Amino acid sequence: PFLLWLLRCIIFMVFDLNIRAFKVEKDHEPQGHWFAAFCRFLCAKHLHDSGIEGGALLAALTPKYKYGCKRACFSESYYDVFKKDNVRLHTSGVRRVEGQTVTTPDGTRSQLDALVLCTGYKTQDFFAPMRVVGRGGVDVLVLWRKDVPRTYYGIVSDVMPNAFMLLGPNTLLGHNSVVFMAECQVAFVVKVIAEMLRTKTRVCRIKAEAQDRWMAGMQAEMKGTVWGTEDCGSWYTNERNEVTTLWPESCTSYWRRTRRPNFKDFSFE
């Protein structure tokens, strides 16, 4: 059991260090952080070692954006798929579908037995299709769509008293396991609720000034990441290219900040 625990710790720390790969220099130089450059080298080497020949296929499989701007795909067999005789890669999109024929914008027609649409999720809708009404009768999702979702550690929001979120805005990850983030949030929520029981209060709300302070710090940290400096069309951002989903630091940093709630930042009534 101890060795299994130790192995888990090693795996966790290795992945947590990967946050350095998504950092950029303060002056936002094209090469970014040295660890990101190292990761780009490893990715290029992996693509070369996969046996993908030069030409259009190699160009199509080579990202045109910085490492990590979109979700990184960790796989030892992904590139092998494109070497099969019955596989063709089309990157121009779909112009129309007629029966079992799919036509791409370049005029290529393909006969298919099945068509699977992987068009993504509504990552900016958060708790939709639920409609959450906050203080003053405000529709929280409508409010968040007009601006960025304003929360405190992605767990509570001043517009929603007595409401706690797990994996809320700006708490998902591009480098490690969100299970750990959820565990940190559960521990945080339990401690806040325990304080409510201890003080025999019915309403708990994060103070607006505490929320503003956290949002300002988090957004400042985001500007030092590839997500906050490059627009590659990832699902991490809203339509204004504002990062609303990811946490810009390490998991250990999030744990350190949330393990002891500062009850002075809350209003207990």
Side-chain angles (χ1 to χ4, degrees):
F2 171 76
L3 291 178
L4 289 174
W5 174 85
L6 182 62
L7 176 62
R8 184 180 187 277
C9 289
I10 293 173
I11 294 173
F12 173 83
M13 292 309 300
V14 167
F15 274 96
D16 215 31
L17 288 173
N18 280 341
I19 189 66
R20 301 303 304 169
F22 307 129
K23 295 291 185 178
V24 296
E25 299 291 350
K26 291 183 179 180
D27 57 3
H28 301 162
E29 293 180 355
Q31 294 303 314
H33 194 271
W34 68 267
F35 194 61
F38 177 65
C39 289
R40 287 196 299 271
F41 165 77
L42 291 180
C43 290
K45 184 178 184 303
H46 179 49
L47 179 57
H48 178 270
D49 293 345
S50 68
I52 299 294
E53 301 296 334
L57 181 58
L58 180 64
L61 292 173
T62 303
K64 308 301 187 294
Y65 44 83
K66 296 177 184 176
Y67 176 78
C69 188
K70 288 188 178 182
R71 184 74 176 180
C73 176
F74 296 94
S75 172
E76 296 180 351
S77 58
Y78 177 73
Y79 291 131
D80 292 338
V81 172
F82 299 100
K83 294 186 291 185
K84 295 182 177 181
D85 294 335
N86 62 340
V87 174
R88 298 290 183 274
L89 176 63
H90 300 278
T91 60
S92 58
V94 175
R95 186 167 67 186
R96 64 176 177 267
V97 178
E98 298 174 306
Q100 291 181 268
T101 302
V102 173
T103 305
T104 56
D106 60 5
T108 302
R109 296 165 59 88
S110 302
Q111 295 290 321
L112 303 180
D113 294 324
L115 178 62
V116 181
L117 303 178
C118 301
T119 53
Y121 302 91
K122 296 180 179 180
T123 57
Q124 304 304 317
D125 285 355
F126 299 100
F127 34 71
M130 280 196 307
R131 180 172 180 263
V132 178
V133 179
R135 292 189 303 123
V138 63
D139 187 311
V140 177
L141 189 54
V142 171
L143 177 67
W144 284 1
R145 283 172 176 164
K146 291 180 180 178
D147 192 8
V148 293
R150 303 192 65 81
T151 68
Y152 181 82
Y153 292 111
I155 302 174
V156 292
S157 176
D158 72 326
V159 76
M160 296 188 294
N162 288 2
F164 302 93
M165 295 174 285
L166 301 184
L167 302 181
N170 290 113
T171 64
L172 299 182
L173 302 172
H175 71 287
N176 209 336
S177 172
V178 294
V179 175
F180 181 82
M181 299 290 281
E183 291 172 343
C184 293
Q185 292 161 357
V186 168
F188 182 96
V189 171
V190 168
K191 291 172 183 176
V192 174
I193 293 177
E195 182 67 9
M196 291 182 66
L197 295 175
R198 188 188 69 81
T199 56
K200 298 181 180 180
T201 55
R202 298 183 60 187
V203 180
C204 169
R205 181 173 61 86
I206 190 67
K207 296 178 180 177
E209 56 268 27
Q211 177 176 278
D212 292 342
R213 185 172 63 251
W214 183 83
M215 287 293 299
M218 186 273 300
Q219 290 175 338
E221 291 172 349
M222 191 67 72
K223 292 180 180 178
T225 68
V226 63
W227 308 307
T229 57
E230 182 172 351
D231 180 9
C232 62
S234 76
W235 58 264
Y236 301 144
T237 63
N238 61 16
E239 59 186 10
R240 297 181 296 276
N241 199 36
E242 299 163 323
V243 184
T244 61
T245 55
L246 294 185
W247 170 243
E249 290 293 323
S250 65
C251 290
T252 49
S253 171
Y254 190 81
W255 166 79
R256 187 173 63 253
R257 300 183 191 196
T258 58
R259 66 192 182 104
R260 292 179 181 175
N262 184 357
F263 296 127
K264 293 181 179 179
D265 288 343
F266 289 84
S267 174
F268 295 96
E269 304 168 7

